[in-house]
Amino acid sequence: MDIENLPLNPIDIVEEVIYEKKWSFSRADEYELVADISSKWCQYRLYFTWSENIRAISFTITFDLKFPQTKIIKAYELIGLINEKLWLGHFDITSKNGIPAFRHTILSNADSDFLHKKLENLVDIAIYECEKYYPSFQQVLFDEIEPSESLLFTNFEVFGSA
């Protein structure tokens, strides 16, 4: 088999993207990669999984927050309001442990340069959305603020610092 005709493993391309960003990561196997990043608000964990059967990459970012059962209805209300605004991906709450997560799946093609740019853009957009809405999740969890109120300031861009 000629090296140019070997099947593309998109997790190798994910690894390139994560490496270029200088984030720590590990590979559980050839079809999975996990990365950890520190951001302005919290520690995020990024999960990438490749499915050869459907030729798609599942991408998930989990937060360092956990909603107890007593707050889960408010969390779902907040997620519904946020998801109405998103163009790409969606937020949900993991059913097993109440952790907010951003999720998106992309189909892959054989063009590695195109996939590299696509993954780079996806990671940047997803982290931007997580950073934008993290304070809302925090307010609903810790400050007894209604979900709709927690979103009031998410559309404002802050430039500079005081």
Side-chain angles (χ1 to χ4, degrees):
M1 180 176 218
D2 170 345
I3 205 157
E4 289 179 19
N5 294 326
L6 287 174
L8 173 71
N9 181 352
I11 297 298
D12 294 338
I13 297 169
V14 169
E15 185 172 329
E16 289 174 17
V17 169
I18 299 302
Y19 180 80
E20 288 168 5
K21 292 184 176 295
K22 297 180 174 43
W23 294 338
S24 64
F25 65 91
S26 63
R27 288 184 69 165
D29 60 35
E30 66 181 293
Y31 299 110
E32 294 179 28
L33 184 142
V34 177
D36 291 302
I37 65 166
S38 293
S39 73
K40 177 177 153 184
W41 297 113
C42 73
Q43 184 79 18
Y44 294 117
R45 180 158 279 176
L46 289 66
Y47 298 91
F48 298 86
T49 306
W50 167 246
S51 170
E52 185 70 43
N53 294 345
I54 58 174
R55 304 205 48 80
I57 298 171
S58 172
F59 173 47
T60 302
I61 300 177
T62 58
F63 289 32
D64 63 358
L65 295 174
K66 183 176 179 176
F67 281 87
Q69 205 55 41
T70 57
K71 297 269 188 157
I72 209 77
I73 290 173
K74 294 283 186 195
Y76 281 124
E77 183 181 339
L78 175 61
I79 284 171
L81 294 169
I82 292 171
N83 284 342
E84 288 177 355
K85 300 173 186 287
L86 296 180
W87 282 73
L88 181 77
H90 68 279
F91 283 97
D92 67 17
I93 299 278
T94 59
S95 60
K96 188 163 72 172
N97 51 22
I99 295 174
F102 176 90
R103 298 184 194 279
H104 187 66
T105 299
I106 58 172
L107 299 175
S108 173
N109 62 11
D111 182 351
S112 64
D113 290 336
F114 179 73
L115 184 58
H116 187 280
K117 189 64 181 161
K118 198 173 182 181
L119 286 165
E120 195 173 49
N121 288 337
L122 172 61
V123 168
D124 291 344
I125 290 166
I127 291 170
Y128 170 81
E129 296 294 1
C130 289
E131 287 287 276
K132 180 177 179 179
Y133 293 110
Y134 186 88
S136 296
F137 282 102
Q138 242 186 344
Q139 288 178 325
V140 169
L141 179 59
F142 298 118
D143 298 336
E144 299 297 325
I145 293 178
E146 289 298 314
S148 58
E149 289 177 48
S150 75
L151 293 173
L152 290 177
F153 297 103
T154 60
N155 292 325
F156 293 109
E157 293 286 333
V158 177
F159 297 98
S161 61

